[in-house]
Amino acid sequence: MRLRALLETDALGLRLLGGEDELDRTVRGVMTTDLRDPSRYLSGGELVLSGLAWRRNATDSEPFVRILAGAGVAGLAAGEAELGNVPGDLVEACAKHRLPLFAVHETVAFATITEHVVRQVSGERAGDLAAVVDRHRRLMTSGPAGGGPEAVLDLLGSDLDLHAWVLSPTGRLIAGAGDAPLAGPVGAALAGHHLAATRTGRRAPHRTTVGGTTYSLFPIRNTGRGALPSSRDVRESVLSDWLLAVEADASDWPPARLDLLQGVTQLIAVERDRRDAARTVRRRLAQEVLELVQTGAPPAEIAARLRVAAPVLLPELGAAPHWQVVVARVEWGDAGTGGPSASVAGAPAGGPVARALLEEILADPAVTGPDSADRIAVAHTGDEAVALVALPALTALAPAHDSAPDAAPAEEDSALHADVLLAAVREPLCAGLADDGRLTLGVSAAVHSPEGLRGALEEARHARRVAAARPGRVCAAGHHELASHVLLLPFVPDDVRRAFTARLLDPLRDYDRRHRAELIPTLETFLDCDGSWTRCASRLHLHVNTLRYRVGRIEQLTGRDLSRLEDKLDFFLALRMS
């Protein structure tokens, strides 16, 4: 379609402010953005819709328009709701760069324009497939009368015979066609492929094969008000963007079909914006509670704020719930360093990324849809994100007053556990973090009083420091680990750790390398079995005499005696620190 057709559509109420000679430009798509630099999301030919939230002063207009013109967009439609009218400096910048400019009356929703453009473009290029975008209103609603993203995915199946799913960055199912389930491990694998391809700069759609089935992966960009700060650094958004997985090979598709799928991702992005808007209240509550706790506010003041938070997070709960605190930190470093210990200069801020990751990690994997994290409030400060998680099932399990951060044994079934929290998402997150990112996470015990909340925050932070002392891209630790030897390991100097582990383990590693004797795995299993010969031999599927030979070789190479408690403890610590 052409820009002139938009201007002649009375229902859109567009008013031309400049570029009359350019109205025969072809419109290939539409994108809504309030980013100062949206160039990475533009491919040319789009009608760009903007509420002008990016504009702080008159000097901002020229660089914004220059970016749009350089990307080859068809035109710019500026909303009047934010500033009351379209500023003159924007009109002048568009005239300078020969970019057609329209004013959008405050009574006209961007969704109305998006729906019209996508319907017309798809209708021209795909004929009867315009029905896919004709259901845009259903995507925008969430009640019984609406269908959300499922409505569009169902039509992709019926009109194009395509099975498709909307997935989160970790592969959690956001939406899918009702008759085409997607197994959790497959979703995680697809998300991992998508994140890895995005980090390497490959152009979408990404083609991959999982379990003998070919999929094409389309990014769903978060470019609305909930988007991360504008930047050309892909690390700021790669771990928060959704994706559309289509069971097909799109490498030989005609342009018309690719454009149609791109339009579908734009419609689903509207649902993403709605989800982020719904999270704003929870994020604000978490920020207020965090500030009160960190500044040492009186427990009564914190309790009052928690009473406000409880109905928002758990509207059907009559009493205040128990709470858990989860702390996460994302750090970026140089690739090839084996993992950053602190973010390097010029790396993107870790706080917003950690917040998006926590909201995703803490979502209930058994609940399909974008709002499965509705009992989680996440704030961020610096490179750290803090989640306040409500645990309604624990409300009646403990006495009315308890300032200790330890949960009763009966609470453990409902509380979060660090050792299982990251199990399902570790693979895709490692792909997104690539060679230069690291995520560490700490989990507190459950508390049910304002007095215990500050202790829970410190407990979660300390657990995260314990996790940071471990190797790996994605590591977590829980409160129960703070009562053991693990508490001391992060404070052992690095050179002491290296010397200690090398002295005990290097002879065994060298021997394993030369003879494939598996002395290190044997030692680990022997200690895990508390020195029981029969249990260890059974677990390793060895004869006891073979196990005795291996243990004897370990003792011979190291000069230690595994019947002595002191030597067992030294080996145990060396394995933990290696």
Side-chain angles (χ1 to χ4, degrees), residues 131-182:
V132 173
V133 293
D134 215 13
R135 302 277 287 275
H136 183 211
R137 291 297 181 189
R138 294 193 63 184
L139 180 66
M140 297 288 291
T141 60
S142 58
E150 288 84 357
V152 173
L153 300 184
D154 285 339
L155 285 170
L156 282 178
S158 62
D159 290 1
L160 290 178
D161 196 24
L162 290 176
H163 292 153
W165 304 266
V166 179
L167 303 176
S168 76
T170 64
R172 182 173 58 87
L173 184 64
I174 302 296
D179 60 346
L182 187 72

Side-chain angles (χ1 to χ4, degrees), residues 552-566:
R553 179 64 67 184
I554 291 171
E555 293 175 334
Q556 180 184 12
L557 291 170
T558 61
R560 298 299 185 106
D561 184 354
L562 277 168
S563 66
R564 298 178 67 247
L565 176 62
E566 293 87 348

